[in-house]
């Protein structure tokens, strides 16, 4: 049986003096007579002959190598391997062997040079829903004023921090979290191992979630206004933390001055056909504004209007550029429902405008991190480099949910085995360059989903397995606030409970696990930047390795009964394995795993 091994990292891919050397390992009884590297020169398929090395890297393993010029051409280097015998051929790609040439976008890919923000791969992100994380000590009475919430048809509700959250008035219920509260809790986040923050919207808006923007140029007074964001930017820099904002550019709120639904005689677009912003929104023949998914309070912006394009991203003083510049100096944007943004009340020319947002961000701050929210397949945007990365629901969160919690985002049953789970994850990864994979935004849950703990239900013992997977899988891990201390909750608004600062209400063992895994990731180049090698995926057990140069990290996930797994891979031979986390034993190719457990070993 023929076997092949290749990862798009050292020692299989090395770069020296603008020369890229690619190596393939093969083992089996019927080795090919020739091996060709299928690469590209200016998008043209180009075969390069690989040379079989005289020295075996491991007993019974042959190595084939070729060096190509990397000094010019497109930065994304796509390649696969064509194996030739006298009467047949086979191809080897990230998804294994094939009897026919692979699609162009499902081959190995490395970005050389890499134009993306290099710093992202080294981070541990923390997502904060500002109203529910921390209330500052010096919060003013004005920040707690009560007002009429038009979209809900009621006054907002003010609650004390430890009052229970209920589904009633979800978008109108405030607990008083603010940006100074976040600043005060940065030492806690530092101890957790967090190095970067992603904040849900902070700009002026009437709802608690702030996705109904009233003013993109100012921070909401409830959160402390502009001065509080400046203080947070200052304190995060003191702590060496990055800070990313949420950009809601698909729609505004209906209270925004551009639209102004609730002032009949205003210059806003809603009631005034002569408004300068009338063309910034789309209207039906009977004069009704087209909104986002039936929410009248969220009228969609129309990017066929030059004014919208200039205001959001193109002009020198655009919103995208404004917050990336000093004194704000934000590190990037998360783009809300960005796949739906476009012209004419829909998503026409979407890719053009998403790419324009990223380009404006890069012109203003070259290392800005621009990533999109996509519950569906994000690869169209990533392959076109319209985004640096995406929230990795499709390639990480959903397959992990199906394997560990037996459910999908709709609460429909989805029971899959390890082989199916890994096939799902690997199929998604195969379409992305190695560097893009490292920047994908991985989460167990978010403000838009049930908490992972609640999804697990009676299988809550599997929670640590998901946490280990989050910190060890390719991509940047993001902790949704409170997950680390065991906060639960079903769909919005119940997934947005106030953070339990009373330590008696915290799962301290879970918190300690998060801290240890964040520390392990910080210590390991392989976990942050290595390739991913699937070692075993059968039944209830997944085993994978992260590899970079001589460093290897071996991760085992067992959702079922006690298991024994035989591990045979030339990529794992040699070195001294040290168990660094979890339950299990690994000696002489045999792995013993405890029931419902994970284990991590490391070798350098």
């Amino acid at each position: 049986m023929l076997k092949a091994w290749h990862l798009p990292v050292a020692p299989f891919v090395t770069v020296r003096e603008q020369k890229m050397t690619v190596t393939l390992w093969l083992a089996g009884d019927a080795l090919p007579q020739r091996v060709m590297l299928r690469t590209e020169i200016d998008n043209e398929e180009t075969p390069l002959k690989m040379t079989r090395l005289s020295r075996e890297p491991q007993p019974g393993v042959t190595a084939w190598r070729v060096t190509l010029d990397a000094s010019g051409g497109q930065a994304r280097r796509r390649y696969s391997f064509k194996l030739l015998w006298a009467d047949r051929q086979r191809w080897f790609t990230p998804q294994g062997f094939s009897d026919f040439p692979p699609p162009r976008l499902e081959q190995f890919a490395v970005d050389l040079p890499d134009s993306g923000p290099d710093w992202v791969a080294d981070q541990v992100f923390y997502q904060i829903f500002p109203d529910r994380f921390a209330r500052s000590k010096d919060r003013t009475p004005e920040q707690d004023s009560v007002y009429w919430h038009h979209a809900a048809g009621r006054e907002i509700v003010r609650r004390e921090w430890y009052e229970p959250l209920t589904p009633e008035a979800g978008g109108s219920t405030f607990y008083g979290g603010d940006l100074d509260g976040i600043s005060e809790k940065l030492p806690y986040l530092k101890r957790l191992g967090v190095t970067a923050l992603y904040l849900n919207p902070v700009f002026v808006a009437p709802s608690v979630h702030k996705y109904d923007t009233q003013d993109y140029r100012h921070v909401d007074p409830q959160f402390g206004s502009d001065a509080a964001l400046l203080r947070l930017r200052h304190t995060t820099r003191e702590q060496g933390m990055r800070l990313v904002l949420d950009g809601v550019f698909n729609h505004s709120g209906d209270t925004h001055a551009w639209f102004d639904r609730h002032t009949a005689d205003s210059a806003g677009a809603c009631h005034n056909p002569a408004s300068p912003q009338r063309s910034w929104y789309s209207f039906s023949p009977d004069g009704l504004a087209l909104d986002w998914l039936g929410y009248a309070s969220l009228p969609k912006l129309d990017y066929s209007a030059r004014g919208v394009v200039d205001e959001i991203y193109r002009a020198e003083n655009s919103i995208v550029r404004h917050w990336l510049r000093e004194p704000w100096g934000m590190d990037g944007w998360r783009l809300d429902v960005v796949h739906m943004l476009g012209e004419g009340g829909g998503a026409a020319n979407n890719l053009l405008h998403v790419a324009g947002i990223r380009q404006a961000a890069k012109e203003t701050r070259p290392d800005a991190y621009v990533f999109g929210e996509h519950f569906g397949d994000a690869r169209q945007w990533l392959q076109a480099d319209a985004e640096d990365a995406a929230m990795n629901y499709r390639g990480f969160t959903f397959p992990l949910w199906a394997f560990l919690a037996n459910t999908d985002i709709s609460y429909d049953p989805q029971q899959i085995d390890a082989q199916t789970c890994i096939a799902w994850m690997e199929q998604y990864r195969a379409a992305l360059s190695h560097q893009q994979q490292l920047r994908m935004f991985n989460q167990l849950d978010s403000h838009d989903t049930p908490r992972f703990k609640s999804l697990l239900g009676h299988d809550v013992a599997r929670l640590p397995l998901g946490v280990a997977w989050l910190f060890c899988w390719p991509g940047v891990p993001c902790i949704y606030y409170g997950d680390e201390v065991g906060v639960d909750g079903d769909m919005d608004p119940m997934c947005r409970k106030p953070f339990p600062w009373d330590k008696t209400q915290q799962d301290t063992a879970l918190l300690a696990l998060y801290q240890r895994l964040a520390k392990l990731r910080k210590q390991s180049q392989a976990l942050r930047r290595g390739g991913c090698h699937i070692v075993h995926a059968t039944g209830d057990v997944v085993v994978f390795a992260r590899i970079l140069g001589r460093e290897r990290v071996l991760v085992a996930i067992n959702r079922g009964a006690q298991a024994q797994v035989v591990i045979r891979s030339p990529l794992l031979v040699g070195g001294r394995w040290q168990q660094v986390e979890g339950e299990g034993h690994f000696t002489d190719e045999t792995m013993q795993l405890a029931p419902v457990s994970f284990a991590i070993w490391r070798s350098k």
Side-chain angles (χ1 to χ4, degrees):
M1 181 180 178
L2 186 64
K3 295 183 178 181
W5 298 271
H6 176 81
L7 298 174
V9 294
F12 294 96
V13 173
T14 58
V15 179
R16 183 177 181 182
E17 297 179 351
Q18 295 190 317
K19 298 290 184 181
M20 175 174 158
T21 299
V22 179
T23 302
L24 174 70
W25 288 5
L26 294 172
D29 298 328
L31 294 176
Q33 297 166 352
R34 292 182 294 140
V35 177
M36 307 293 290
L37 182 79
R38 180 273 186 205
T39 184
E40 297 176 355
I41 297 178
D42 296 331
N43 291 330
E44 177 69 13
E45 293 192 14
T46 303
L48 298 177
K49 183 180 178 180
M50 302 189 74
T51 301
R52 179 172 173 173
L53 304 185
S54 57
R55 182 177 179 181
E56 294 184 341
Q58 299 288 349
V61 177
T62 64
W64 301 71
R65 181 170 294 169
V66 67
T67 298
L68 55 151
D69 184 8
S71 62
Q74 293 177 291
R76 182 147 302 146
R77 318 286 171 166
R78 300 186 189 275
Y79 60 94
S80 56
F81 302 95
K82 184 180 184 181
L83 284 55
L84 291 160
W85 293 262
D87 58 349
R88 62 192 177 98
Q89 63 178 255
R90 297 187 79 186
W91 293 77
F92 183 67
T93 73
Q95 298 188 73
F97 287 111
S98 171
D99 291 327
F100 54 87
R104 179 174 182 268
L105 298 179
E106 294 185 10
Q107 304 188 55
F108 294 102
V110 294
D111 292 332
L112 182 65
D114 176 23
S115 62
D118 183 67
W119 59 269
V120 172
D122 294 325
Q123 307 308 306
V124 172
F125 268 86
Y126 193 84
Q127 179 189 349
I128 295 178
F129 193 84
D131 182 70
R132 307 291 165 79
F133 181 61
R135 183 181 173 95
S136 61
K137 298 176 182 176
D138 298 325
R139 185 176 174 88
T140 65
E142 291 77 18
Q143 289 178 260
D144 289 325
S145 61
V146 173
Y147 57 86
W148 186 260
H149 186 191
H150 285 282
R154 61 170 300 157
E155 285 189 335
I156 65 165
V157 179
R158 290 289 183 186
R159 287 191 175 154
E160 295 300 319
W161 197 257
Y162 289 109
E163 285 188 75
L165 179 65
T166 66
E168 185 181 358
S172 308
T173 299
F174 289 77
Y175 281 83
D178 52 35
L179 300 184
D180 285 328
I182 298 173
S183 292
E184 291 169 6
K185 297 300 184 182
L186 289 186
Y188 162 80
L189 295 175
K190 191 82 171 180
R191 292 192 299 272
L192 177 57
V194 170
T195 61
L197 304 183
Y198 149 50
L199 306 184
N200 286 113
V202 299
F203 305 123
V204 180
S207 70
V208 69
H209 52 71
K210 307 298 177 191
Y211 284 97
D212 48 347
T213 313
Q214 184 172 317
D215 186 345
Y216 289 99
R217 301 280 180 174
H218 293 288
V219 175
D220 199 293
Q222 297 165 91
F223 294 159
S225 300
D226 294 358
L229 184 60
L230 275 177
R231 288 190 289 271
L232 180 60
R233 175 72 286 195
H234 176 71
T235 52
T236 50
R237 281 176 164 165
E238 283 186 333
Q239 295 290 342
M241 289 184 182
R242 301 282 184 162
L243 184 58
V244 172
L245 297 181
D246 205 332
V248 188
F249 304 138
N250 170 70
H251 51 266
S252 73
D254 66 353
T255 59
H256 198 294
W258 300 340
F259 194 80
D260 202 2
R261 181 188 300 280
H262 305 291
T263 308
D265 58 351
S266 79
C270 183
H271 303 297
N272 185 0
S275 169
Q277 283 80 38
R278 183 74 174 191
S279 65
W280 293 23
Y281 300 90
S282 297
F283 291 83
S284 65
D286 56 3
L288 296 177
L290 302 185
D291 54 45
W292 180 70
L293 296 182
Y295 293 97
S297 61
L298 305 177
K300 269 183 68 76
L301 292 165
D302 188 342
Y303 280 76
S304 63
R306 180 184 178 90
V308 169
V309 174
D310 286 342
E311 181 70 18
I312 298 297
Y313 69 84
R314 187 164 56 194
E316 280 301 306
N317 65 340
S318 68
I319 294 159
V320 166
R321 298 177 192 270
H322 172 77
W323 295 102
L324 297 177
R325 291 197 177 103
E326 297 300 331
W328 313 103
M330 297 301 156
D331 292 293
W333 287 101
R334 177 264 194 188
L335 303 178
D336 181 60
V337 293
V338 68
H339 54 287
M340 302 183 75
L341 173 156
E343 301 174 6
N349 285 326
N350 172 270
L351 202 58
L352 171 69
H353 295 294
V354 177
I357 290 172
R358 179 179 182 271
Q359 180 180 350
K362 300 297 183 180
E363 289 171 355
T364 309
R365 179 167 185 152
D367 70 342
Y369 181 36
V370 181
F371 65 102
E373 178 199 25
H374 300 269
F375 276 88
D377 192 343
R379 290 174 295 181
Q380 174 185 352
W381 291 265
L382 298 171
Q383 290 163 349
D385 288 317
E387 301 168 354
D388 293 319
M391 298 184 78
N392 202 12
Y393 289 112
R394 185 59 65 93
F396 176 77
T397 311
F398 292 166
L400 183 146
W401 283 3
F403 182 67
L404 293 180
N406 304 126
T407 188
D408 68 7
I409 185 66
S410 302
Y411 285 105
D412 292 327
Q414 188 171 29
Q415 300 188 22
I416 61 175
D417 60 11
Q419 185 175 5
T420 304
C421 178
I422 289 301
W424 183 348
M425 287 179 157
E426 289 293 274
Q427 190 268 345
Y428 199 83
R429 280 203 314 128
L432 305 177
S433 74
H434 174 65
Q435 287 82 357
Q436 286 177 315
Q437 294 174 30
L438 300 181
R439 286 189 284 268
M440 291 296 281
F441 202 78
N442 293 342
Q443 292 184 276
L444 294 176
D445 46 31
S446 75
H447 67 294
D448 284 325
T449 76
R451 297 269 184 171
F452 181 56
K453 181 178 181 180
S454 294
L455 283 174
L456 287 168
H458 65 275
D459 288 321
V460 71
R462 295 177 177 180
L463 178 58
L465 283 61
V467 179
W469 212 329
L470 174 68
F471 279 90
C472 295
W473 192 253
V476 57
C478 179
I479 306 164
Y480 181 42
Y481 83 98
D483 275 358
E484 75 277 14
V485 294
V487 173
D488 61 5
D490 292 324
M491 284 293 282
D492 168 25
M494 301 310 295
C495 59
R496 304 172 182 182
K497 294 178 180 178
F499 190 101
W501 290 108
D502 182 348
K503 291 186 178 181
T504 64
Q505 298 180 25
Q506 298 180 2
D507 184 336
T508 55
L510 183 61
L511 175 60
L513 174 62
Y514 270 89
Q515 291 172 320
R516 295 195 304 272
L517 289 172
K519 183 178 180 180
L520 174 62
R521 192 173 188 278
K522 181 178 180 180
Q523 295 170 342
S524 171
Q525 276 278 97
L527 286 181
R528 301 196 310 274
R529 296 176 178 270
C532 184
H533 169 49
I534 304 302
V535 182
H536 177 91
T538 304
D540 293 325
V541 179
V542 170
V543 182
F544 62 90
R546 298 295 304 280
I547 298 171
L548 184 63
R550 295 178 60 87
E551 185 191 1
R552 297 160 298 172
V553 178
L554 188 61
V555 183
I557 307 288
N558 176 25
R559 71 177 183 186
Q562 181 175 331
Q564 177 176 300
V565 179
V566 176
I567 301 298
R568 292 193 179 99
S569 170
L571 302 189
L572 304 178
V573 173
R576 185 174 181 179
W577 291 96
Q578 177 184 2
Q579 186 167 348
V580 292
E581 191 62 58
E583 300 177 76
H585 300 280
F586 178 44
T587 55
D588 299 327
E589 299 184 336
T590 300
M591 185 178 287
Q592 302 284 349
L593 301 175
V596 190
S597 68
F598 76 91
I600 303 173
W601 294 267
R602 188 181 182 200
S603 174
K604 292 191 287 185

